[in-house]
Amino acid sequence: MLRKIISSSALAVALAAGAQAYAASGGKAKISVVYDQKLPNVPGKSMRAVLVEYGPGGTSPGHTHPDSAFIYATVLDGAIRSQVNDGPVKTYKAGESFSEFPGDHHSVSENASKTKPARLLAVFVLNTDEKELTTDDK
């Protein structure tokens, strides 16, 4: 019984810490480059992978990517709501994927849940000299 109380208390502390970190981020997604490699057989092109982590209710502002970028995204955990260009808003669950083509506008990108986190992996093929992967709408 004591072990159960301690485990519950530890979980509550961890959730509170996560909620504080998420609140400090303003509800925005945490984005980390997890892979960056020049393509040896395609001069001037690279592959970069980005891990996008959303807290409960988390969002990313509308945005575009470099004109050279082709993107393939897979939801790792949870569910992500997404809209590209004038297409429908779709919800993708863990294991589902979508793509974005050069010049596309990603107007909706958010966690579909207000209570659970979500993560996606976005793999870019783009010009090696691109520095900024995302340009937020103004």
Side-chain angles (χ1 to χ4, degrees), residues 23-55:
S25 74
K28 294 184 181 176
K30 176 184 174 189
I31 301 170
S32 308
V33 176
V34 295
Y35 183 83
D36 188 357
Q37 179 68 50
K38 290 180 182 178
L39 297 176
N41 60 338
V42 187
K45 295 289 184 178
S46 289
M47 181 181 292
R48 293 190 193 131
V50 176
L51 180 64
V52 181
E53 299 175 275
Y54 292 99

Side-chain angles (χ1 to χ4, degrees), residues 44-46 48 65-71 101-103 124-130:
K45 295 289 184 178
S46 289
R48 293 190 193 131
H65 300 287
D67 287 340
S68 69
F70 172 79
I71 301 154
F101 294 94
F124 291 66
V125 175
L126 73 168
N127 290 345
T128 299
D129 61 358
E130 294 288 357

Side-chain angles (χ1 to χ4, degrees), residues 29-109:
K30 176 184 174 189
I31 301 170
S32 308
V33 176
V34 295
Y35 183 83
D36 188 357
Q37 179 68 50
K38 290 180 182 178
L39 297 176
N41 60 338
V42 187
K45 295 289 184 178
S46 289
M47 181 181 292
R48 293 190 193 131
V50 176
L51 180 64
V52 181
E53 299 175 275
Y54 292 99
T59 65
S60 295
H63 59 273
T64 57
H65 300 287
D67 287 340
S68 69
F70 172 79
I71 301 154
Y72 178 77
T74 300
V75 178
L76 302 174
D77 297 306
I80 304 288
R81 286 175 20 99
S82 180
Q83 180 182 29
V84 177
N85 297 324
D86 294 327
V89 176
K90 293 184 180 180
T91 299
Y92 297 92
K93 297 177 183 168
E96 296 181 322
S97 302
F98 61 92
S99 57
E100 294 181 52
F101 294 94
D104 280 352
H105 179 250
H106 199 169
S107 54
V108 174
S109 184

